[in-house]
Amino acid sequence: MKRTMMSLTGVAVALAAVTGVAAVAAPDGGHETARGSSRLPVQRSALLCPAPTSSEVGETAYTAFAPQGAAAGADGKKGTAELRPAGTVRDAADGAGGKDNGKGKGRDAADSAASRTVPPRDSKPVVPLQKAGTPVTATTERPDAPALVGSADGALAPGWTVQQTTSVAAGAGRGLLGLSCTTPDTTFWFPGVSTAKDRHDYVHLTNPDATPAVVDLELHGKDGSLAGSAGEDISVPPHTTVPVLLSTLTATPTTNASLHVVAREGRVGAAVQASDGKLGSDWLPPAADPSPGVVLPGIPKDATSVRLVALSPGESDADLKVQLATPTGLITPAGLETLHLKSGMTTAVDLKDLTKGEAGSLVLTPADGDTETPVTAALRVTRGKGAKQEMAFIPATRPVEKRATAADNRAGGSTLSLVAPEKGKDAKVKVTASAGSGGGTPVTKSYTVKGGTSLDVQPPRPQGLKGTYALTVEPDPGSGPVYASRMLARPQGGVPAFTVQPLPDDRGSVLVPAAGQDLSVLTN
């Protein structure tokens, strides 16, 4: 009898654990699953914003937003959403975790990094949200502005988005740097990083949790893995950020590389800040998880150069069909019908002025019907000429399945890119401009993107707009697959400064499987 009661208790605990994890952490795969499953809003979400800039002439704006009505049924909880400053590991910017590279074994490594952690100047919350549907903004000009760690719960958790936009007027890091603050995870891919002499790329690792994280950094160049152990066993203390200069990880300067971030213990948020001596600077966000086909949405129509960087991270080579989705259909770039990727080796292709005056999106699909070999990719896009150039990055992104959000839109300068990559599968989407941070009435507009085409639009603006606003993209049920990005353009003294943020699905809801009794687990 005692054994039976213990078994029943174990079954109940296991079912509760499965249901609880699904409610707060399971990814939204976009497929309705087993009969009896329910789609529910997430109950808690986390975001991490890296330290924005060390420039004395930089200004950073934070914009936080949660879509209105996104959390219907979230237990009636009003919810909270806020970010707080994180600590920084002293000397971390000089290498992988500091002068001793933050390395070691177990507790020794954690203690070493923790002993060099500089706590934040204050712990006041940044851009705390009070209600859904209206953005909240804050700005700072501090060159030592900290990384931010935050969470949202209740009605504000589903779709909670924070945009970090930094304008640097002069110097080596000049330009417009934009980033949608990232969610914590255990693995990230960054195709398009560089350790060349004219580039200074830092990966920012931020730990949101109360326990240390241990991270490995792996670089892949054109001939495979870049040898060196400097990126191993990097300790990231709790609620702390560690910036690592990628050129310290290898003795071989490499123009086109791919970075793999792996958290062996705990989890982190990761983003790469890239600075080029001639092309300005911007954030390179993580690419979507490797998959057999990828979409890179939102190449500006006036792009003067486009560079594709791709990698097959598994054990097999990949052959990809390369197509550009234009406003009128899919075309093949001249001289690049297919692209061969060798396993573990980064391949870079200069596509020059690929768009020829028409906005477009790059679509990479298996060339030989192989649907098993995953790949990852990103674009470096340049606008302007000569000394008036500016760069931005477009990584492969996930499709918008239920909803995606772009915060920090102003009266002008925003362009929304939508692409329906599959021929014959039109995508219908509803785009809502929220109320402004200082006032205004929401406006909604619908668009249809023909299958196999890309559409660039000036998004709707709230009536009577004051301040900044957010854009929410929602595909119609049964619509064809759609991918999206948002470009911000804010010229700086003749430089066409811009930044592009991919708009993946916000995973604000999850499928929770129905749980029931199954006494067969008690029998052998």
Side-chain angles (χ1 to χ4, degrees):
M1 179 68 179
K2 183 176 180 181
R3 182 178 299 173
T4 302
M5 290 302 295
M6 289 176 66
S7 299
L8 286 170
T9 302
V11 170
V13 170
L15 287 173
V18 169
T19 304
V21 169
V24 300
D28 182 359
H31 301 287
E32 299 300 329
T33 56
R35 187 173 43 196
S37 297
S38 301
R39 182 169 290 280
L40 299 175
V42 297
Q43 299 171 6
R44 186 177 178 84
S45 56
L47 289 176
L48 305 163
C49 306
T53 181
S54 59
S55 173
E56 297 285 348
V57 291
E59 180 178 351
T60 299
Y62 298 98
T63 306
F65 178 77
Q68 193 167 25
D75 299 331
K77 295 180 181 178
K78 181 179 178 182
T80 60
E82 64 182 27
L83 296 152
R84 291 183 181 272
T88 302
V89 173
R90 187 186 305 113
D91 299 324
D94 294 328
K99 292 179 180 178
D100 61 0
N101 289 338
K103 296 175 60 179
K105 298 295 182 182
R107 176 51 54 188
D108 291 341
D111 289 344
S112 174
S115 67
R116 293 178 288 107
T117 298
V118 178
R121 182 183 298 180
D122 59 57
S123 59
K124 295 179 181 178
V126 179
V127 286
L129 274 180
Q130 301 298 322
K131 62 179 182 178
T134 302
V136 173
T137 65
T139 60
T140 181
E141 296 181 0
R142 287 174 49 187
D144 62 344
L148 303 176
V149 176
S151 63
D153 58 23
L156 298 178
W160 181 47
T161 301
V162 179
Q163 168 81 12
Q164 175 179 295
T165 308
T166 301
S167 178
V168 179
R174 64 111 175 109
L176 187 67
L177 299 84
L179 181 71
S180 292
C181 297
T182 59
T183 57
D185 207 336
T186 57
T187 183
F188 303 87
W189 283 100
F190 296 93
V193 300
S194 177
T195 63
K197 294 181 179 180
D198 58 350
R199 280 273 290 269
H200 290 82
D201 288 13
Y202 286 85
V203 61
H204 291 246
L205 308 171
T206 307
N207 182 358
D209 299 321
T211 56
V214 178
V215 177
D216 289 342
L217 303 178
E218 305 167 359
L219 283 169
H220 296 263
K222 64 182 180 64
D223 297 319
S225 178
L226 296 177
S229 60
E232 296 177 356
D233 298 325
I234 299 173
S235 181
V236 186
H239 309 300
T240 297
T241 191
V242 176
V244 180
L245 180 61
L246 297 186
S247 61
T248 64
L249 304 182
T250 176
T252 306
T254 303
T255 300
N256 302 297
S258 300
L259 171 67
H260 190 198
V261 177
V262 181
R264 291 191 288 105
E265 296 180 21
R267 59 178 187 161
V268 295
V272 172
Q273 189 177 48
S275 178
D276 187 283
K278 296 180 179 179
L279 304 178
S281 60
D282 204 351
W283 289 101
L284 171 58
D289 291 339
S291 62
V294 297
V295 177
L296 304 98
I299 305 172
K301 64 181 180 181
D302 60 349
T304 50
S305 71
V306 178
R307 176 180 294 172
L308 169 64
V309 181
L311 174 78
S312 174
E315 297 180 354
S316 302
D317 294 358
D319 288 293
L320 299 175
K321 184 178 182 180
V322 181
Q323 293 179 296
L324 179 69
T326 72
T328 55
L330 292 167
I331 64 172
T332 300
L336 191 64
E337 290 77 11
T338 61
L339 179 66
H340 181 71
L341 302 181
K342 293 183 178 180
S343 172
M345 302 181 185
T346 297
T347 297
V349 181
D350 282 320
L351 302 175
K352 301 180 181 180
D353 54 341
L354 173 70
T355 56
K356 304 294 184 182
E358 285 189 327
S361 300
L362 205 64
V363 180
L364 307 179
T365 54
D368 55 4
D370 175 17
T371 59
E372 301 297 329
T373 304
V375 300
T376 185
L379 297 173
R380 191 201 70 187
V381 179
T382 303
R383 297 172 70 217
K385 295 181 180 181
K388 302 291 186 179
Q389 294 185 77
E390 167 78 338
M391 71 176 182
F393 296 93
I394 304 174
T397 188
R398 302 191 308 269
V400 183
E401 293 162 351
K402 298 295 179 181
R403 183 187 61 236
T405 298
D408 193 11
N409 299 279
R410 305 182 190 182
S414 292
T415 301
L416 178 64
S417 295
L418 304 168
V419 57
E422 298 185 20
K423 286 184 177 180
K425 294 186 177 181
D426 296 355
K428 298 180 180 180
V429 299
K430 179 178 70 174
V431 179
T432 300
S434 75
S437 57
T441 304
V443 171
T444 297
K445 189 172 182 179
S446 296
Y447 301 91
T448 297
V449 188
K450 294 186 64 176
T453 71
S454 187
L455 175 67
D456 269 26
V457 297
Q458 300 301 311
R461 287 186 291 177
Q463 294 181 354
L465 170 65
K466 294 182 180 179
T468 67
Y469 68 99
L471 289 170
T472 302
V473 178
E474 299 173 277
D476 286 356
S479 175
V482 63
Y483 297 73
S485 68
R486 187 276 317 270
M487 182 179 80
L488 292 177
R490 296 174 188 167
Q492 299 176 344
V495 176
F498 75 115
T499 181
V500 179
Q501 279 73 59
L503 303 183
D505 191 89
D506 65 18
R507 294 178 173 175
S509 63
V510 291
L511 284 171
V512 180
Q517 292 184 347
D518 183 1
L519 298 183
S520 66
V521 300
L522 303 180
T523 62
N524 293 327

